[in-house]
Amino acid sequence: QVQLVESGGGLVQAGGSLRLSCEASGRPFSSYAMGWFRQAPGKEREFVASIRWSGGSTYYADSVKGRFTISRHRIKNMIYLQMNSLNSEDTAVYYCAAQTIGASEYNKWGQGTQVTVSS
């Protein structure tokens, strides 16, 4: 069973940076894509960024383009989210997700890590 574990969340001042990490563990890991989603209080969960596991193509929500960078380490089975120029609207619980081979949507989720941006 694949498990995803996020780390790196915390409290940061507006304009600051944080780097989130997500490690996939369990049986040999193979996914079509991995991504980051976030959910702010009182709001629905929203897409942040994703990366194709094989080719490395990346995709971003318009709200984070130019500020966030998603990357992967295939040997370590990890993905990262470098977040720069953070603002209060980035405050949310950030979730790592994987779309395993054959799945039509993201079907593995981490427990989430809190990111709080103070103004």
Side-chain angles (χ1 to χ4, degrees):
Q1 184 78 338
V2 174
Q3 290 185 321
L4 304 178
V5 179
E6 305 96 335
S7 61
L11 175 64
V12 64
Q13 289 188 335
S17 299
L18 278 177
R19 187 191 194 212
L20 305 183
S21 300
C22 173
E23 180 177 11
S25 62
R27 62 181 175 85
F29 181 73
S30 179
S31 76
Y32 174 71
M34 291 188 71
W36 291 96
F37 292 74
R38 68 186 181 186
Q39 186 168 20
K43 296 186 178 181
E44 294 186 353
R45 185 168 59 192
E46 64 175 1
F47 168 78
V48 175
S50 66
I51 186 166
R52 296 283 173 85
W53 195 250
S54 177
S57 298
T58 57
Y59 306 88
Y60 297 94
D62 288 342
S63 59
V64 306
K65 279 182 182 177
R67 300 188 298 123
F68 291 11
T69 302
I70 188 171
S71 60
R72 75 193 190 303
H73 194 303
R74 295 185 65 182
I75 295 176
K76 293 184 178 179
N77 286 341
M78 293 189 70
I79 64 168
Y80 309 94
L81 186 68
Q82 178 65 43
M83 306 185 293
N84 299 326
S85 301
L86 287 161
N87 58 61
S88 58
E89 294 185 350
D90 297 316
T91 294
V93 177
Y94 284 70
Y95 296 91
C96 173
Q99 180 182 355
T100 56
I101 300 296
S104 59
E105 58 186 12
Y106 286 92
N107 57 334
K108 302 293 183 184
W109 295 87
Q111 82 288 350
T113 185
Q114 176 70 47
V115 171
T116 302
V117 183
S118 64
S119 56

